[in-house]
Amino acid sequence: KKSTSKVALKWKKVAGAAGYQIYMKTNSGTYKKIKTITNGTTVSYVKSGLTQGYRYSFKVRAYKKLSNNTVYGSFCGSKTVRMGIAKPSKITLKQVSKTKVKITFPKVAGVSGYEVSMKYSSGNKYKKVATLTKSSKNVYIKTGLKKGRTYTFKVRAYKVVNGKKYYSSYTNLKKITLK
């Protein structure tokens, strides 16, 4: 299970295990131990503080104490997840002139920027009308619109990771008819 910043890990209990070790790697890095669970009946762990858009791989192994030694089992097969991108929670529209609409939305922490898409009338497809390249830029004014038309807008956030863009889902759709 994942969100934009945490992953819930679960595995099957190993009979006789004293506990488990959890290893993680980021993108194409190397595995590092992130947690030792000291209870053999605990078979889940939540890793938080992860970065949006990054890919993380996890693997788990059981261990048992024998005399003065610790014996480790084999690692389970690794599981990889790409973290989601948080989307702006909503958008608001305001007509600022006969041909301009101001689109405003809450800033999203940790993203690279936003894309604004628009369509007019129900039969048309959405078209990207702006790419805002700073996460602090949460206002866009769309110009060149026509009085009397109804326009629908939506916004999504994106994050650039290793030169590739990863996107959030779109916000709610918001309509405005120019007066």
Side-chain angles (χ1 to χ4, degrees), residues 36-88:
T36 298
I37 295 175
T38 58
N39 181 341
T41 61
T42 300
V43 291
S44 65
Y45 174 71
V46 176
K47 173 63 178 152
S48 58
L50 303 175
T51 303
Q52 295 180 63
Y54 278 50
R55 189 178 68 235
Y56 295 91
S57 297
F58 297 89
K59 59 185 181 178
V60 179
R61 69 179 177 181
Y63 70 89
K64 185 175 185 174
K65 303 235 180 212
L66 297 175
S67 300
N68 293 331
N69 295 322
T70 303
V71 178
Y72 298 96
S74 300
F75 282 106
C76 65
S78 68
K79 295 290 182 183
T80 301
V81 64
R82 180 163 308 274
M83 301 310 296
I85 308 297
K87 72 176 181 177

Side-chain angles (χ1 to χ4, degrees), residues 70-155:
T70 303
V71 178
Y72 298 96
S74 300
F75 282 106
C76 65
S78 68
K79 295 290 182 183
T80 301
V81 64
R82 180 163 308 274
M83 301 310 296
I85 308 297
K87 72 176 181 177
S89 57
K90 63 180 180 175
I91 60 174
T92 56
L93 305 176
K94 181 179 180 183
Q95 184 173 347
V96 293
S97 80
K98 291 181 182 179
T99 61
K100 295 179 185 177
V101 171
K102 181 179 181 181
I103 300 112
T104 308
F105 48 90
K107 295 175 185 174
V108 177
V111 300
S112 303
Y114 309 93
E115 287 185 354
V116 179
S117 294
M118 175 195 86
K119 78 171 185 171
Y120 67 91
S121 79
S122 59
N124 292 326
K125 293 183 179 182
Y126 281 94
K127 178 182 173 186
K128 180 172 68 170
V129 294
T131 300
L132 309 175
T133 58
K134 295 186 180 189
S135 64
S136 61
K137 180 87 171 151
N138 66 326
V139 176
Y140 175 70
I141 296 178
K142 175 62 178 142
T143 61
L145 303 176
K146 294 184 180 177
K147 183 179 175 184
R149 277 195 178 166
T150 298
Y151 296 91
T152 306
F153 292 89
K154 61 184 180 178
V155 177

